[in-house]
């Protein structure tokens, strides 16, 4: 009987585990499958957990180097070992905390005076100078690689927002 009460007093860990399982309710099956594929690509040693050594290899594959301090900061965001459920909780929480599709579209529409898409040069100028941490030249180049563009070099922001929001 005493052991049962002791287990109940250790409840915060149990509550955290239950809270993480609800993350699956926020995504459809195809999105969960995409997260699963991403997790499996990142789990280099295939032990079911993302660890520092896995992340080092992932960054190397992307042509990036990352320091121990940055890795420790990333791993510290999790409340425990990063298994698939924790992975979903971390990334799902970030996606759920982002602006709604309509808000993003409205912001981009303000940059699209002609209604033809955002001119690439205007976008580059904006992200290179705005905010507390403007993009570096390398970050701009990486961003441009993934942005959908039309044949005139305008950013197709509606498509980009759909990609960001997972087709909400």
């Amino acid at each position: 009987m005493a052991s049962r009460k002791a287990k109940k007093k250790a409840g915060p860990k149990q509550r955290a585990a239950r809270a993480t399982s609800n993350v699956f309710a926020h995504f459809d099956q195809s999105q969960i499958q995409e997260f699963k594929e991403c997790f499996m690509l990142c789990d280099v040693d295939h032990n079911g957990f993302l660890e520092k050594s896995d992340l080092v290899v992932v960054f190397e594959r992307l042509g990036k180097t990352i320091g121990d301090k940055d890795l420790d900061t990333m791993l510290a965001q999790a409340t425990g070992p990063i298994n698939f459920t924790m992975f979903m909780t971390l990334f799902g929480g970030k996606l759920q905390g982002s602006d709604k599709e309509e808000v993003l579209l409205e912001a981009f529409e303000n940059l699209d005076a002609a209604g033809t898409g955002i001119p690439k040069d205007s976008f580059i100028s904006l992200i290179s100078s705005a905010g507390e941490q403007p993009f570096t030249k390398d970050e701009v180049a990486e961003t441009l690689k993934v942005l959908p563009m039309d044949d005139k070099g305008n950013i197709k922001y509606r498509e980009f927002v759909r990609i960001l929001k997972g087709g909400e």
Side-chain angles (χ1 to χ4, degrees), residues 118-131 134-135 140 144:
I118 301 169
K120 181 173 84 172
D121 292 337
S122 298
F123 184 75
I124 291 171
S125 175
L126 178 69
I127 65 174
S128 299
S129 61
F135 281 39
V140 170
L144 291 175

Side-chain angles (χ1 to χ4, degrees), residues 149-161:
M149 307 262 248
D150 65 18
D151 55 351
K152 296 177 185 166
N154 292 321
I155 298 166
K156 298 190 297 186
Y157 62 87
R158 283 182 170 70
E159 187 176 327
F160 180 56
V161 168

Side-chain angles (χ1 to χ4, degrees), residues 6 8 10 17 21 31 35 38-39 53 59 84 89 92-93 114 128 144 152 154-155 157 164 168:
K8 284 186 180 183
S21 65
Q31 291 171 313
F35 276 113
C38 183
F39 179 83
S53 59
F59 276 92
F84 179 63
T89 301
S128 299
L144 291 175
K152 296 177 185 166
N154 292 321
I155 298 166
Y157 62 87
L164 283 175
E168 284 184 3

Side-chain angles (χ1 to χ4, degrees), residues 10-53:
K13 287 185 182 180
Q14 289 177 344
R15 271 182 260 151
R18 261 188 255 124
T20 59
S21 65
N22 280 341
V23 72
F24 294 99
H26 299 289
F27 300 98
D28 64 37
Q29 283 301 86
S30 65
Q31 291 171 313
I32 293 170
Q33 184 59 36
E34 287 179 30
F35 276 113
K36 185 75 167 178
E37 290 171 17
C38 183
F39 179 83
M40 289 172 24
L41 287 171
C42 293
D43 183 16
V44 177
D45 59 9
H46 305 291
N47 68 354
F49 295 92
L50 295 186
E51 299 160 332
K52 189 184 284 192
S53 59

